């Protein structure tokens, strides 16, 4: 606005919350003499309807063009009063709030001091608002398509939820099949449903859904754009099998002469060089493992090609890139089991009968390497099994956090061991954590089934026997902290229950400019109130990529993430932040310092004009560029130097 | 047409600004043609009394170079203010304090002690310090009083225009003189004239990366300098980003030396040091306080780097008393 | 009372300002000496803000941002950290005691910590005495504005 500032100041009593400590009349009176102030009032509850109407009336009858409310935190009511201003035809950014409740009346004992501070804080707001500028928010259209990264249960659920709404989904999975960890589990706690039985129908639904483009053996390579308008490059790895031609008959797999350890079975069984990871894989079509394939290694063989009737083998296939456009992205990249040195501390890799949870899952699985019979390395069925909780977890040397699921899956193991072998089971836990629907009851059930639940962290697993009973067995050395006694428990098999870790090799967070915590898990926008949002608008989180969680929580979060993505698509437009940065083309000298500092890559360098340019749709208004700009060309709107300087003068003026 | 009445004065300065005026070479003849001088201590013989005798506002244009370091500087600044229609702070010292104002990092006592007692070439066992008044048989001899603080010209008197530079670029000087002599419309009072409106990087042709990272600060004396690459990319402090353009890049282009900031602040920013720290620190390649401090420690004398020419006009202005 | 130190605190909106709000909603009492200026991110805080505050009469300056790794804008707090250390080094050349400018991470849940920090920092500044930077130069030498 070109005309002179005409400021209205309103000091709120907030009942007695402010007026009980601050002399609100004096604050209002002091403001009346500040330059540009047309009127200065105090009122019982500014946020009430009459309070807001007072502002609106004053704007209209006194021609106010700036408003200051001294009341609570702007985090509480900034939006309320901005709305009142807007209603009366004053730009929302001509409003400023002084926080004289949370930052003053509630924290200051002395009434005189509190009043002086209120005057200073309100004066700062008045001086600042004089130099405010009107800002506009712009609307940008949102694409309806959604990208889901990761094809475990989280990604599957999110993709199906979005697809069911009629919107299109791209599901990108880096492995040759979807299914993730859940496809490898035997049973699920606490209901003991067969994991595959409940998962595979969902996998098939993904594979055949008209609204889902399934992209396996693919990785996201580049993400550009912003909420509602992401341009994504997806790299498709060469599979050497033309999936359009392949019928999935399996003749090639049968004929392939090469055998290598199966990743799906944790190396406990063999697969071929041309393979489908497991029988219910989706898509159920094979890929060639280039590193293992005899043809790729020696130039000879091509047996698979000879036996492939539909001529689907494509040795010449190259890696390719596909570009897709989406409006929202759901990250469902999952987790990996902890694989660090705490495992070898307990003898994994050294004693053949010390196995990990995932190995146990596969050994116990009817479609696993032993067809569901729990065997030791020598083929015998164990008579006693120890299950060790918290491997690598709750330990400052490895992972400080609790992975939430290990107690429960370990209890599940106890049940499965009992059920299948009748062996004696010893569970060593630090604390038993069973906070979930039916979880505590499951815990009781396992205890009643006769598992020995021993509270104590295991010191070591050794084969050094000190008596004949221990001879030839694994001895678990621990302290029973409830009984206060030291234990040596000889067993045939030890199952290590490691915690969950973030993917160490994933560059997804970086591509999406999402922050990860010190453990590598994605950081949600707010731990309580925005658990599936991220700081990057339009990017949502589902499942264990955000932190360890069980299947019910994962599925719930996936549906929530899908709902957030759909809410965005349904709204159809996004409002871009008004308090963005801008770079004055008349001032910028083109030093390029700001370009790399922007966390959102919102600044680019215009090589023709030799100046930096802000993409205001990408900008989130953090102001880092404005702070770093040496020539003063980059400015943070609403937080310009002049505004901050005005505030500093104001808060120090009394 | 009557000649333009001109005065040139040097206060706390080195004389380089006066020499720069002569560096307009043969154009000095045209200046002589167009101007009548009333004071120019370095070039012509006038007495202060002659100036004091002039009617107020008699002089059309005064080019005042040098900072205000002592009572004489201040006295003449006030005198020339009275006698001049247009007073120009000419050169870095008058504009922003210049090299003399670096002394604001010390008190007067510290400076005297260093100069007259501790300096290696001084023998002064009694510790005698300069006195402003000394009785002699003929009466009392006085010399000007040195202030505790060095001021820019506009901190002592009102100033119409500023011509920055240490010294100002002769071509710019000529442009300014020509503009005044030819009666061109002058910019509003308070303007910086004879300089650009952007930062120096605007006219700098060195290649810059978009991903600057500082792992340690290099120094001119110990670093091979690439003439084609931005100094900041070479880990050197170059004040180009926080310095007004217009100098003709004598240092950066002709001498392969980083900008030292003599043209002062570009419009819109308030402090060269504050902005330089904001910019450079942002790209320090470290996250731990200890590592950051180690990198910062490779840049001794930050204040000397940033405020070499602008101490008087810096936000803090001087060392804490 | 009026001789009490004056302290300007720059707080990022997402963590520290919210933490200060929490001190309020928890009714934790602390010194009125600390006056808060809100910025969206500690990455917006630049040395000139600190210098301006000192020049305008602040006896101390407190900079608060999200804990490392928690920055709402990913990395802004690291930029603040680097600027702070570099500025602090230079302020030493101006004779400023190192403790007059302080940087602390305060999360949205650390209302209690913010209040304690405000009190302890004010105590520290009280110990250092008033700064009174406005009195730079000699009024008789300077032009009267």
């Amino acid at each position: 606005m070109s005309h002179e500032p005409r400021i209205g100041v309103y000091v709120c009593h907030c009942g007695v919350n402010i007026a009980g400590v601050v002399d609100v009349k004096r604050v209002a009176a002091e403001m009346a003499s500040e330059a540009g102030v047309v009127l200065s009032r105090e009122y019982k509850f500014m946020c009430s309807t009459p309070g807001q109407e007072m502002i609106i009336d004053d704007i209209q009858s006194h021609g106010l063009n700036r408003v200051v409310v001294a009341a609570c935190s702007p985090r509480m009511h900034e939006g309320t009063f901005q709305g009142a201003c807007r209603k009366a035809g004053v730009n929302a950014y001509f409003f400023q709030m002084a926080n004289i409740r949370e930052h003053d009346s509630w924290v200051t004992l002395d009434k005189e001091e509190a009043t002086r501070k209120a005057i200073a804080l309100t004066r700062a707001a008045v001086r600042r608002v004089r130099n405010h500028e009107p800002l506009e928010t712009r609307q940008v259209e949102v694409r309806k398509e959604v990208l889901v990264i990761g094809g475990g249960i989280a990604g599957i659920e999110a993709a199906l939820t979005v697809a069911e709404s009629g919107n299109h989904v791209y599901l990108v999975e880096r492995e040759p099949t979807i299914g993730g960890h859940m496809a490898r589990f035997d049973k699920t706690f606490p209901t003991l449903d067969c994991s595959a039985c409940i998962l595979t129908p969902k996998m098939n639904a993904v594979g055949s859904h008209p609204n889902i483009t399934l992209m396996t053996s693919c990785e996201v390579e580049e993400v550009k754009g912003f909420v509602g308008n992401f341009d994504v490059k997806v790299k498709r790895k060469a599979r050497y099998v033309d999936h359009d031609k392949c019928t999935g008959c399996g003749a090639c797999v049968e004929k392939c002469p090469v055998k290598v350890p199966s990743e799906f079975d944790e190396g406990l069984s063999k697969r071929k060089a041309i393979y489908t990871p497991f029988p219910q894989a989706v898509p159920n079509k094979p890929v060639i493992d280039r590193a293992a394939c005899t043809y790729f290694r020696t130039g000879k063989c091509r047996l698979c090609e000879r036996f492939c009737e539909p001529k689907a083998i494509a040795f010449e296939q190259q890696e390719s890139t596909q570009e897709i456009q989406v409006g929202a992205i759901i990250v469902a990249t999952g987790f990996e089991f902890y694989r660090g040195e705490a495992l070898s501390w307990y003898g994994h890799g050294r004693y053949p009968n010390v196995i990990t949870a995932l190995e146990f899952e596969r050994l116990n699985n009817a479609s696993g390497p032993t067809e569901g019979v729990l065997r030791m390395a020598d083929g015998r069925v164990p008579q006693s099994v120890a299950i060790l909780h918290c491997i690598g977890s709750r330990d400052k040397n490895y992972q400080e956090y609790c992975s939430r699921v290990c107690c429960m899956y370990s209890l599940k193991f106890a049940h499965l061991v009992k059920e299948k072998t009748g062996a004696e089971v010893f569970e060593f836990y630090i604390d038993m954590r069973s906070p979930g629907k039916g979880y505590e009851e499951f815990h009781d059930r396992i205890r009643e089934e006769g598992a020995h639940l021993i509270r104590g962290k295991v010191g070591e697993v050794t084969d050094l026997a000190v008596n004949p009973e221990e001879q030839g067995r694994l001895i678990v050395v621990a302290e029973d902290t409830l009984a206060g006694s030291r234990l040596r428990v000889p067993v045939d098999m030890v199952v290590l229950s490691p915690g969950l870790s973030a993917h160490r090799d994933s560059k997804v967070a970086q591509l999406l400019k999402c922050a990860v915590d010190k453990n590598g898990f994605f950081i949600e926008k707010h731990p309580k109130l925005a658990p599936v949002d991220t700081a990057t608008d339009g990017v949502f989180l589902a499942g264990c990529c955000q932190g360890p969680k069980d299947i019910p929580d994962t599925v719930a979060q996936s549906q929530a993430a899908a709902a957030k993505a759909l809410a965005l698509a349904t709204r159809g437009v996004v409002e871009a932040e008004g308090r963005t940065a801008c770079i004055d083309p008349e001032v910028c000298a083109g030093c390029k310092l700001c370009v790399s500092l922007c966390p959102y890559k919102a600044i680019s360098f215009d090589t023709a004009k030799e100046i930096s340019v802000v993409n205001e749709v990408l900008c989130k208004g953090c102001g880092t560029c404005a702070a770093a700009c040496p020539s003063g060309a980059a400015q943070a709107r609403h937080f310009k130097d002049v505004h901050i300087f005005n505030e500093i003068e104001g808060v120090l003026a009394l | 047409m009557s000649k333009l009445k001109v005065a040139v004065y040097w206060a706390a300065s080195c004389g380089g600004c006066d020499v720069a005026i002569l560096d307009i070479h043969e154009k000095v003849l045209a200046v002589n043609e167009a101007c009548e001088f009333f004071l120019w201590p370095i070039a012509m013989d006038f007495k202060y009394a002659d100036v004091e005798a002039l009617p107020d506002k008699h002089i059309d244009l005064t080019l005042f170079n040098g900072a205000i370091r002592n009572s004489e500087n201040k006295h003449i600044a006030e005198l020339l203010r009275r006698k001049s229609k247009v007073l120009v702070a000419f050169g870095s010292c008058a504009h922003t304090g210049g090299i003399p104002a670096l002394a604001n990092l010390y008190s007067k006592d510290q400076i005297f002690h260093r100069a007259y007692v501790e300096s290696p070439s001084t023998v002064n066992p009694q510790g005698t310090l300069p006195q402003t008044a000394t009785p002699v048989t003929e009466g009392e001899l006085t010399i000007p009083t040195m202030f505790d603080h060095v001021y820019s010209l506009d901190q002592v008197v009102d100033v119409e225009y500023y011509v920055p530079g240490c010294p100002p670029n002769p071509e710019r000087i000529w442009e300014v003189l020509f503009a005044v002599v030819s009666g061109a419309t002058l910019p509003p009072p308070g303007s910086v004239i004879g300089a650009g409106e952007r930062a120096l990087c605007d006219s700098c042709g060195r290649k810059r990366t978009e991903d600057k990272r500082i792992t340690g600060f290099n120094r001119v004396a110990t670093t091979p300098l690439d003439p084609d690459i931005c100094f900041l990319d070479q880990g050197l402090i170059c004040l180009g980003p926080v310095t007004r353009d217009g100098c003709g890049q004598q240092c950066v282009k002709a001498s392969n030396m980083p900008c030292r900031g003599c043209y002062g602040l570009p419009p819109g920013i308030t402090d060269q040091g504050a902005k330089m720290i904001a910019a450079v620190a942002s790209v320090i390649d470290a996250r731990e306080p200890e590592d950051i401090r180690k990198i910062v420690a490779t840049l001794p004398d930050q204040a000397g780097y940033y405020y070499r020419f602008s101490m008087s006009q810096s936000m803090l202005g001087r060392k804490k008393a | 009372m009026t001789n009490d130190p004056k302290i300007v605190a720059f707080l990022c909106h997402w963590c520290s300002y919210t933490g200060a709000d929490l001190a309020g909603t928890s009714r934790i009492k602390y010194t009125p000496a600390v006056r808060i200026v809100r910025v969206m991110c500690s990455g917006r805080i630049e040395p000139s803000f600190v210098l301006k505050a000192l020049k305008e009469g602040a006896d101390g300056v407190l900079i608060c941002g999200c804990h490392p790794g928690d920055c709402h804008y990913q990395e802004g707090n690291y930029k603040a950290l680097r600027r702070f250390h570099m500025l602090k080094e230079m302020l030493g050349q101006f004779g400023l005691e190192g403790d007059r400018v302080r940087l602390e991470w305060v999360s949205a849940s650390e209302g209690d910590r913010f209040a304690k920090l405000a009190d302890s920092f004010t105590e520290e500044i009280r110990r250092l005495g008033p700064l009174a930077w406005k009195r730079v130069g000699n009024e008789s030498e300077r032009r009267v504005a």
Side-chain angles (χ1 to χ4, degrees), chain A residues 374-492:
Chain A
L374 185 60
R375 289 184 204 282
M376 300 197 290
D378 61 5
R380 285 186 299 135
V381 172
Q383 299 299 305
S384 55
V385 176
I387 301 168
L388 277 49
H389 292 217
C390 288
I391 302 301
S393 293
R394 303 182 65 196
D395 185 333
K396 286 203 165 155
N397 299 310
Y398 309 115
Q399 298 182 156
E400 255 187 285
Y401 55 91
C402 165
S403 287
R404 288 182 59 186
V405 296
C406 327
C407 282
M408 294 308 295
Y409 79 62
S410 299
L411 289 172
K412 175 189 78 179
F413 290 172
H415 170 83
L416 295 174
V417 171
K418 279 267 173 204
E419 182 183 68
K420 297 213 167 175
T421 66
E424 206 168 358
V425 178
F426 302 88
E427 293 236 3
F428 294 89
Y429 65 94
I430 304 177
D431 295 293
M432 189 62 76
R433 297 191 167 174
S434 51
K437 196 172 181 180
Y439 289 11
E440 187 60 20
E441 295 88 327
F442 187 67
H443 171 210
D444 288 341
R445 171 179 168 186
I446 302 307
R447 190 196 303 278
E448 279 158 20
E449 284 176 4
H452 305 286
L453 305 181
I454 300 159
R455 184 176 181 278
K457 193 173 175 180
V458 172
E460 67 170 331
V461 174
T462 177
D463 60 355
L464 276 176
V466 297
N467 58 49
E469 194 207 348
E470 293 181 358
Q471 209 63 46
R473 305 177 81 184
L474 292 164
I475 303 102
V476 178
V477 184
E479 184 194 355
D480 183 335
T481 57
L482 294 180
S485 59
R486 196 163 163 263
L487 300 177
R488 287 178 67 88
V489 181
V491 293
D492 295 332

Side-chain angles (χ1 to χ4, degrees), chain A residues 17 73-75 78 96 99 101-103 105-110 112-114 116-117 120-121 128 512-517 523 525 535-536 579 596-600 620-629 635-636 639-641 644-649 651-654, chain C residues 1-2 4 6-8 10-11 13-14 16-50 52-59 69-76 79 82-83 108:
Chain A
N17 280 305
S73 170
R75 293 176 56 261
E78 190 173 49
Q96 181 68 18
N99 186 345
R101 192 180 72 175
E102 281 85 341
H103 290 187
S105 68
W106 277 351
V107 295
T108 311
L109 269 178
D110 185 282
E112 170 64 18
E113 292 279 19
R116 288 169 61 85
K117 188 174 178 183
L121 293 177
R128 179 193 217 281
L512 296 171
K513 298 176 209 58
C514 285
V516 295
D517 63 21
I523 296 176
K525 191 170 183 179
T536 308
R579 293 179 292 200
S596 70
L597 292 177
C598 177
Y600 304 98
K620 301 255 183 270
C622 67
T624 292
C625 57
C629 176
Q635 293 272 352
F639 288 93
K640 291 187 169 185
D641 287 6
I644 307 291
F645 283 11
N646 290 156
E647 260 192 83
I648 293 169
E649 289 160 12
V651 296
L652 288 170
L654 191 68
Chain C
M1 286 208 318
T2 46
D4 255 17
K6 276 188 187 162
I7 289 158
V8 176
F10 297 101
L11 269 56
H13 173 83
W14 299 97
S16 309
Y17 192 91
T18 311
D21 275 2
L22 180 61
T25 45
S26 315
R27 312 294 203 277
I28 304 167
K29 303 290 182 262
Y30 62 87
T31 169
V34 172
R35 307 279 164 88
I36 294 167
V37 173
R38 178 176 71 137
V39 288
M40 292 311 285
C41 175
S42 55
R44 173 70 188 98
I45 300 166
E46 44 176 306
S48 63
F49 297 176
V50 177
K52 173 76 178 175
L54 296 174
K55 200 181 139 186
E56 291 294 328
D59 300 298
D70 292 352
C71 175
H72 183 79
Y73 303 99
Q74 299 177 14
E75 295 263 310
K79 283 146 197 158
R82 295 173 194 139
R83 291 182 196 129

Side-chain angles (χ1 to χ4, degrees), chain A residues 86-153:
Chain A
R86 213 180 283 125
K87 249 191 214 164
V90 169
N91 186 282
Y93 293 92
F94 279 139
F95 169 78
Q96 181 68 18
M97 219 164 161
N99 186 345
I100 61 167
R101 192 180 72 175
E102 281 85 341
H103 290 187
D104 188 12
S105 68
W106 277 351
V107 295
T108 311
L109 269 178
D110 185 282
K111 290 187 178 180
E112 170 64 18
E113 292 279 19
T115 303
R116 288 169 61 85
K117 188 174 178 183
I119 291 169
L121 293 177
T122 312
R123 184 172 280 148
V126 170
R127 292 195 179 176
R128 179 193 217 281
V129 85
R130 267 184 223 148
N131 287 311
H132 278 198
E133 292 160 4
L135 301 180
E136 299 306 326
T137 51
R138 283 151 304 111
Q139 296 209 318
V140 185
E141 224 168 283
V142 171
R143 292 174 184 148
K144 307 284 182 206
E145 296 81 3
V146 176
L147 165 67
V148 177
I149 308 173
I153 179 59

